Amino acid sequence: MYHMAIQNKDQLQTFVKETIRTTPITDIHTHLFSEQFGDLLLWGIDELLTYHYLVAETFRFRPELSYDEFWAMSKREQADLVWKTLFLEHSPYSEACRGVLTVLNRLGLDVSSRDLESYRSYFASKSTSEYIDQIFQLSNVSTVCMTNDPFVDAERERWEKIGQTDPRFNAALRIDPLLNQWETTWVKLKQWGYDVEEQMTDRTFEGVRSFLRYWIRKMNPLYMAVSLTHDFRFPESSPRGLIIEKCIVPVAREFDIPFALMIGTKRRVNPDLREAGDSVGLSDVRSVENLCAAYPDTKFLCTMLARENQHGLAVAARKFRNLHVFGCWWFLNNPSLIEEITRMRFELLGLSVTPQHSDCRVLDQLLYKWDHSREIIAKVLIDKYSDLMDTGWRLEEDEIRRDVADLFGGSFWSFLGRKDPAKG
Ligand code: FIX
Ligand code: ZN
């Protein structure tokens, strides 16, 4: 076989950038839905502008605006206010604002016109299915993983009717209420016919396991997932700790799927902001290590929200091969922090990490979240390869292609022990 070696640093730069641009991505955590889920899939300019990141930023410039007044507005009115406040009255360089402009630009719209109505007419001319195709193609994302919560009525009802799903949208079984609000969730399970009681008895555990099995068979999820507040500890004799031990872990093993933990929120520090009112707190990496050590046959995916936890988490992944670290979550999804965290992870974990997920709530965001992250991942990778070249190491083009494919989903699929469906 003929090998194409990289000859110099200029060639390295060009080749890495091109490979990063053209390698399709598996986006392992989003809040997107396929078309079959109807209005659960959000897209278009008004959704982009009312993204909760931008809502939080808008209130900072509107001390006179009451929360109730804002929430009483129609989506279009809210979008008008966000546009006026964050784009016209101030320069929109926060990451979330810049993201909207990247999206418009990538769609070929004239960002310099600042003409919100013309953007609206562009989106009004699109059908959902053609727009989904367009965004997947333009963002070069091959598959996304949804967040599928059977405790959300609208979603549960749709699952009961769905037949064949769109292969671009993988499922993830999200079970926050099971772990975080057992005191009310058990009543729902009981109503749905599961033989559970509030007490943590063997009967309850079997009921919860049946519930998980039912949804795993229906959704065929890539993993089960939960987001946990910063004060999560394991082991713990709470319903949360016991359900993990007696239900999640055995069922994860039974179906050979990972349990994904997203740890570090402080929920509703400002409840008036609704979805935008959550914050961040310092979490306990030791608890993740405890889980990995107690259940070496169970796979854990983990991301943490606090910047201060990133180093400890990467070190934990060096100790436990059943732990796969992913993404720069939420308040970490900013260029300066992505760069710092990605650099550190590459240094500690090489290629056995998934550096980013998008967390998109609006389909169009795939364009900006991935454009922005691709640029930073390329920069860090060029530096790392460049250091290798300085030692005299020779890099082949195919090896760079292989590495980038791993970072953009390959390592994740290997960890799962599954084949990337996009690769046939
Ligand atoms: O829990 C989660 O999956 C979080 O990502 C979201 O709830 C959060 O609101 C978000 O959109 C962060 O990016
Ligand atoms: Zn999320």
Side-chain angles (χ1 to χ4, degrees), residues 29 31 51-53 147 174 176 227 262 267 275 278 329-330 359 361:
H29 170 63
H31 297 262
Y51 186 34
H52 67 74
Y53 291 29
T147 294
R174 180 80 174 235
D176 290 25
S227 88
M262 307 177 67
R267 292 288 179 205
E275 254 172 358
D278 293 351
W329 183 24
W330 203 340
D359 233 308
R361 281 179 177 264

Side-chain angles (χ1 to χ4, degrees), residues 151-213:
F151 293 98
V152 173
D153 293 340
E155 188 169 347
R156 196 179 56 257
E157 284 153 19
R158 291 210 168 92
W159 275 108
E160 300 295 357
K161 292 184 204 127
I162 282 173
Q164 184 69 23
T165 49
D166 181 335
R168 291 172 296 188
F169 294 81
N170 290 298
L173 173 55
R174 180 80 174 235
I175 47 170
D176 290 25
L178 202 56
L179 294 177
N180 298 330
Q181 287 114 33
W182 176 252
E183 61 295 349
T184 49
T185 300
W186 76 273
V187 182
K188 281 196 176 171
L189 291 190
K190 204 165 168 60
Q191 279 164 3
W192 295 335
Y194 296 96
D195 184 18
V196 295
E197 54 193 347
E198 184 165 14
Q199 290 68 35
M200 293 284 103
T201 58
D202 285 346
R203 205 173 84 184
T204 298
F205 296 138
E206 186 45 37
V208 171
R209 286 192 295 263
S210 308
F211 168 81
L212 294 171
R213 288 186 190 112

Side-chain angles (χ1 to χ4, degrees), residues 252 256-260 295 297-301 322 414-417:
D256 192 23
I257 56 173
F259 178 35
Y295 310 110
D297 299 336
T298 306
K299 295 171 186 172
F300 298 95
L301 291 158
N322 55 333
S414 311
F415 182 73
L416 260 55

Side-chain angles (χ1 to χ4, degrees), residues 30-65:
T30 74
H31 297 262
L32 302 177
F33 289 92
S34 66
E35 203 183 347
Q36 292 142 308
F37 289 85
D39 57 11
L40 292 182
L41 170 65
L42 307 181
W43 61 276
I45 186 67
D46 288 341
E47 298 295 351
L48 284 170
L49 287 171
T50 52
Y51 186 34
H52 67 74
Y53 291 29
L54 292 175
V55 169
E57 290 175 32
T58 301
F59 274 106
R60 299 195 50 70
F61 295 105
R62 294 272 171 219
E64 79 294 350
L65 178 68

Side-chain angles (χ1 to χ4, degrees), residues 26-32 144-147 172 174 223 225 262 303 326 329 356-360:
T26 295
D27 191 341
I28 78 167
H29 170 63
T30 74
H31 297 262
L32 302 177
V144 302
C145 195
M146 305 181 276
T147 294
R174 180 80 174 235
Y223 53 82
M262 307 177 67
T303 194
F326 72 96
W329 183 24
Q356 191 56 307
H357 70 272
S358 76
D359 233 308
C360 288

Side-chain angles (χ1 to χ4, degrees), residues 99-128:
V100 175
L101 302 179
T102 300
V103 170
L104 298 176
N105 183 39
R106 284 284 254 108
L107 291 169
L109 296 165
D110 177 9
V111 170
S112 73
S113 77
R114 304 187 181 191
D115 182 359
L116 181 54
E117 290 314 318
S118 75
Y119 308 146
R120 282 190 171 127
S121 18
Y122 172 85
F123 290 99
S125 73
K126 300 273 170 189
S127 75
T128 306

